[in-house]
Amino acid sequence: MNNEPETKISRSQAFVQFIIALIKQNKGTAAVLRRADNPATEYQSWEYLAAFNIDLEKPWERLPFAIVAAAIAKGKIESNGSIGIGNAIARSYEDGNQSDQAKAKLRRLLACGSVEEVCRILRPLFSLFESRGVTPINYAGLLEQLLKFHWDSQRIKTQWAQEFYRQNQKIETKEAV
């Protein structure tokens, strides 16, 4: 008998692990998943999304899984990270959350009114993060936020803003020590 407590993982964490395993197994699958964030080629990834019991008819459910799968595949991610989206935006610029460009990116994200719009805005952000070496993103946490965005968008936006503005405070604290 095993005396260790079972650690239950969330659906989002399981999905991230599932996608990472798929990418490691098959380069063809990785190529298909890299295109999952493109509206013209997203349907090619539906086989893998459906295998994870994702309702393909609900864009507020399908698109978050597709965008996260594409980001993991493009970034050749090997494990889930810990950086939130707000923090990642700030880290993408030398001036952090004081950068006008970073603030503009955050404002654009916060102006989104639907999960579909958020997913469209995230696509170029993931490219920015990769080009600036901002890794590892907390994909499971982001997926959780995206899945809840349809019902609780204001709270999710607040979380992103807090992550963004707290980023500079963490740097200042480290410098003070």
Side-chain angles (χ1 to χ4, degrees), residues 52-72:
F52 204 77
N53 296 324
I54 295 163
D55 189 342
L56 301 176
E57 292 182 17
K58 296 177 181 171
W60 62 87
E61 183 177 344
R62 182 187 76 241
L63 292 176
F65 282 99
I67 191 84
V68 167
I72 291 170

Side-chain angles (χ1 to χ4, degrees), residues 2-16:
N2 189 355
N3 291 334
E4 293 180 30
E6 285 188 38
T7 55
K8 188 173 182 178
I9 64 171
S10 71
R11 183 176 187 212
S12 297
Q13 291 169 323
F15 180 75
V16 169

Side-chain angles (χ1 to χ4, degrees), residues 70-133:
I72 291 170
K74 286 179 181 178
K76 298 175 182 144
I77 304 302
E78 298 199 9
S79 65
N80 191 40
S82 60
I83 300 172
I85 287 300
N87 194 340
I89 292 171
R91 287 180 181 217
S92 296
Y93 295 93
E94 193 173 308
D95 295 337
N97 62 16
Q98 299 303 307
S99 165
D100 289 339
Q101 286 181 306
K103 288 177 184 177
K105 299 265 189 232
L106 177 70
R107 280 194 302 269
R108 179 61 189 104
L109 187 62
L110 298 179
C112 292
S114 68
V115 72
E116 292 89 345
E117 187 179 6
V118 170
C119 289
R120 281 195 310 270
I121 298 304
L122 283 175
R123 185 178 179 199
L125 283 177
F126 286 137
S127 297
L128 172 69
F129 302 155
E130 190 174 337
S131 71
R132 302 283 170 91

